[in-house]
């Protein structure tokens, strides 16, 4: 792996990762935890919504766009109804063809293309969470 030195600023920040591929989810959790983020996993949107309805603090929702049942974009809309200030990072193998809402503050919504490098993931998450 690359040099993924955690920053002191990441400690305690919580990410809800929604990814239907077990392998991709496991690897992404591993990287994010190495960076000292606390990660809650969900394999699909309904499971993620249960977390978002709870009192669990979440700083960033990272979701695959191509989820079964409810897309990542639909999940983001539902998530923002529950938590209006929630930051959302979309992951997609078709990132160049995905439209994201440009009317939001610059670091509230972003997209990362799959497959992403570990460094790209670190940089994108840190820029969104302000560290």
């Amino acid at each position: 792996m690359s040099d993924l030195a955690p920053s002191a600023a990441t400690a305690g920040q919580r990410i809800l990762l929604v990814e239907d591929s077990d392998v991709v989810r496991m690897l992404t959790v591993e990287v994010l935890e190495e960076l000292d983020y606390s990660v809650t996993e969900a394999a699909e949107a309904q499971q993620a919504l249960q977390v978002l309805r709870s009192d669990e603090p979440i700083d960033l929702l990272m979701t695959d766009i191509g989820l079964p049942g409810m897309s990542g974009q639909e999940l983001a809309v539902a998530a923002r109804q529950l938590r209006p200030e929630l930051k959302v990072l979309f992951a997609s193998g078709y990132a160049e063809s995905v439209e994201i809402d440009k009317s939001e503050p610059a670091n509230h919504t972003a997209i990362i293309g799959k497959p992403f490098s570990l460094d790209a993931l670190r940089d994108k998450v840190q820029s969104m969470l302000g560290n």
Side-chain angles (χ1 to χ4, degrees):
M1 281 197 188
S2 60
D3 178 24
L4 293 175
S7 103
T10 64
Q13 288 185 308
R14 300 196 56 88
I15 297 172
L16 173 55
L17 174 66
V18 189
E19 169 61 60
D20 59 316
S21 166
D22 294 340
V23 172
V24 173
R25 190 174 62 252
M26 180 186 67
L27 292 171
T28 305
V29 167
E30 189 175 307
V31 170
L32 291 170
E33 287 180 342
E34 226 175 273
L35 293 168
D36 280 346
Y37 293 104
S38 296
V39 182
T40 300
E41 303 173 51
E44 45 87 31
Q46 292 305 321
Q47 189 179 2
L49 286 171
Q50 287 179 344
V51 173
L52 292 165
R53 287 184 190 110
S54 76
D55 293 335
E56 185 175 339
I58 301 292
D59 298 297
L60 176 71
L61 168 64
M62 180 176 177
T63 181
D64 185 16
I65 286 183
L67 296 172
M70 174 186 274
S71 75
Q73 288 161 309
E74 292 167 330
L75 171 60
V77 169
R80 291 258 175 78
Q81 289 172 345
L82 297 166
R83 299 181 187 213
E85 298 300 312
L86 185 64
K87 295 178 180 185
V88 179
L89 175 58
F90 294 109
S92 175
Y94 307 97
E96 65 284 344
S97 64
V98 174
E99 293 289 322
I100 59 173
D101 186 352
K102 304 284 192 220
S103 67
E104 297 189 28
N107 70 340
H108 269 60
T109 305
I111 189 158
I112 188 168
K114 286 178 169 180
F116 44 79
S117 71
L118 305 181
D119 290 335
L121 177 62
R122 177 200 61 216
D123 294 347
K124 185 68 78 170
V125 170
Q126 288 178 348
S127 73
M128 291 189 75
L129 292 175
N131 26 66

